[in-house]
Amino acid sequence: MGTFKFQVLNPLLHNELRLQIIVALDSLESADFMYLCQITGSTRGNLSTQITTLKEADYIKVTKFGGLGRASRTVCRITDKGRKALQVYEEGLRKMFTEKVPEPDQEQKSKIG
C-alpha cells in the first residue's frame, strides 16, 4: 500500500463560525456585522473575534461606516484570497467523502491485531 493520507483541511476555515461567515460572504458578496450575527446565531464578541481572524488572513475585508462605537456600521466583504481558500476547502471535503481509503496491507493488518 502507498502512503495514503486524508486531505488536509484549512484550519482557518475548519471552524464552524468562520466557515459560516465565509460561506455567507461568498454568497452575498458583503454583509453587515449585525446581519452576520443574526444568521449565524453568534454572540457579538465571538463574531468579532472570528471576523478579526478572517481579516488578518486576508480572507475578508472589513469596512466601518459612520460614527464611533455603536453608531458605526461594520460591513464585511470576501476577498479573492478568501474565495479561493473556500473553494480549496470545499474541494478537500468532497475529496474526503469520495476518495476510497485503501485496505491495509498484511503488515499493517498484523499490527492492528
Side-chain angles (χ1 to χ4, degrees):
M1 180 180 85
T3 57
F4 173 85
K5 291 194 177 179
F6 277 108
Q7 180 75 29
V8 176
L9 299 175
N10 182 334
L12 283 173
L13 296 181
H14 202 65
N15 166 283
E16 183 178 1
L17 182 52
R18 286 192 297 261
L19 185 59
Q20 289 173 346
I21 294 165
I22 206 85
V23 166
L25 294 176
D26 185 53
S27 174
L28 300 169
E29 290 296 324
S30 69
D32 74 12
F33 181 87
M34 292 309 295
Y35 184 68
L36 289 172
C37 203
Q38 177 188 354
I39 64 172
T40 62
S42 174
T43 64
R44 289 182 208 165
N46 195 14
L47 183 65
S48 179
T49 298
Q50 303 312 326
I51 284 174
T52 298
T53 299
L54 291 169
K55 178 183 173 196
E56 289 173 352
D58 195 30
Y59 286 3
I60 65 172
K61 181 180 180 190
V62 178
T63 307
K64 293 192 182 278
F65 297 96
L68 300 172
R70 293 189 185 269
S72 69
R73 180 173 176 242
T74 302
V75 176
C76 301
R77 178 180 304 274
I78 192 168
T79 64
D80 289 340
K81 183 177 178 182
R83 196 175 310 282
K84 179 65 179 167
L86 180 60
Q87 179 185 4
V88 169
Y89 182 84
E90 184 179 359
E91 289 168 1
L93 278 178
R94 286 185 194 283
K95 186 175 180 183
M96 285 179 74
F97 281 101
T98 59
E99 191 172 29
K100 177 108 172 107
V101 177
E103 292 287 329
D105 60 25
Q106 289 298 0
E107 182 180 330
Q108 290 169 322
K109 283 184 180 179
S110 66
K111 289 179 183 177
I112 295 171

